[in-house]
Amino acid sequence: EAGVAQSPRYKIIEKRQSVAFWCNPISGHATLYWYQQILGQGPKLLIQFQNNGVVDDSQLPKDRFSAERLKGVDSTLKIQPAKLEDSAVYLCATIGQGATDTQYFGPGTRLTVL
Amino acid sequence: LAKTTQPISMDSYEGQEVNITCSHNNIATNDYITWYQQFPSQGPRFIIQGYKTKVTNEVASLFIPADRKSSTLSLPRVSLSDTAVYYCLVGDSNYQLIWGAGTKLIIKP
């Protein structure tokens, strides 16, 4: 079974620029999360999708962050404009079938904002 | 509001048993407690999950007391490759996911 795919793996931009991250979940996984992980900290949930609907986006800075999951499969997370404090690893995770809610994570995208 | 507390770091030696405890108050009454392992430059990886008492799989055991206010991850006979950051994950009463800050485990030869 293929894992969660994310791209790009690394991105360096200047502040005020825009950036987008892409996540391709494991086939059939309906629940998808985007996390922000700042160096030395645990993951912080940004948004949760169930199929193509948003379940929880309470911690998403909506003035600059947006996410979508068209057709309930791939998802993109966008930051516009980026700030220095957005430098972090952005992780995508998905949940498969069953009641245990085990999350499967992608390798993450490391964003550096200069 | 649910909150988790873990030791920031721990050291141990190869072949030893390591126990990492996470304290978590006000968690959802019917949600699982899950532990993840994370290596540098990788996403977290599921280790073990439990609801109460004791759960054991091929890599670890998880002990959860009846009050569910803490959980202890037990790694038997650790090796150098177990050096990683370990996170506990719980759900609060609103079923929001709460990640601990992680415990950096360093295994020495």
Side-chain angles (χ1 to χ4, degrees):
Chain A
E1 181 182 69
V4 177
Q6 290 189 248
S7 67
R9 288 298 311 276
Y10 305 92
K11 190 74 177 178
I12 301 174
I13 62 173
E14 296 190 349
K15 60 183 179 182
R16 291 187 289 274
Q17 285 188 320
S18 301
V19 65
F21 313 125
W22 174 79
C23 173
N24 178 232
I26 296 171
S27 178
H29 283 202
T31 304
L32 184 148
Y33 303 88
W34 280 103
Y35 288 93
Q36 178 193 61
Q37 187 173 28
I38 292 173
L39 187 64
Q41 298 182 19
K44 171 191 168 186
L45 180 66
L46 293 175
I47 189 167
Q48 176 187 349
F49 290 94
Q50 181 72 19
N51 296 307
N52 61 348
V54 175
V55 173
D56 182 2
D57 64 356
S58 58
Q59 298 189 78
L60 186 73
K62 298 180 186 63
D63 58 333
R64 297 184 302 106
F65 286 64
S66 64
E68 60 182 12
R69 192 182 183 199
L70 299 176
K71 301 180 181 178
V73 182
D74 292 5
S75 178
T76 56
L77 176 70
K78 297 179 182 177
I79 308 175
Q80 181 180 10
K83 293 185 175 182
L84 297 177
E85 59 262 35
D86 298 331
S87 292
V89 175
Y90 291 85
L91 295 163
C92 177
T94 64
I95 289 180
Q97 304 299 323
T100 59
D101 294 342
T102 299
Q103 296 186 45
Y104 295 87
F105 283 82
T109 297
R110 180 176 297 279
L111 173 67
T112 303
V113 182
L114 303 175
Chain B
L1 212 62
K3 179 183 174 183
T4 62
T5 303
Q6 301 177 235
I8 294 173
S9 64
M10 294 178 68
D11 290 355
S12 188
Y13 292 89
E14 283 190 293
Q16 299 294 305
E17 178 184 79
V18 171
N19 296 309
I20 306 174
T21 297
C22 179
S23 300
H24 31 73
N25 293 317
N26 301 317
I27 65 171
T29 54
N30 57 351
D31 208 357
Y32 285 93
I33 297 163
T34 311
W35 284 78
Y36 288 83
Q37 175 192 55
Q38 187 174 28
F39 297 113
S41 301
Q42 295 186 23
R45 185 179 72 168
F46 172 87
I47 301 175
I48 197 167
Q49 182 179 69
Y51 179 71
K52 60 180 178 181
T53 62
K54 178 183 175 182
V55 178
T56 298
N57 63 21
E58 62 276 9
V59 298
S61 294
L62 180 61
F63 299 91
I64 303 170
D67 65 7
R68 290 174 30 96
K69 291 187 177 181
S70 67
S71 58
T72 299
L73 172 72
S74 180
L75 303 172
R77 299 179 299 281
V78 293
S79 63
L80 296 177
S81 62
D82 293 316
T83 294
V85 179
Y86 292 82
Y87 294 96
C88 65
L89 172 63
V90 301
D92 69 8
S93 54
N94 295 318
Y95 296 97
Q96 290 204 324
L97 299 174
I98 308 296
W99 288 79
T103 298
K104 185 173 183 179
L105 176 64
I106 298 174
I107 305 302
K108 303 175 183 177

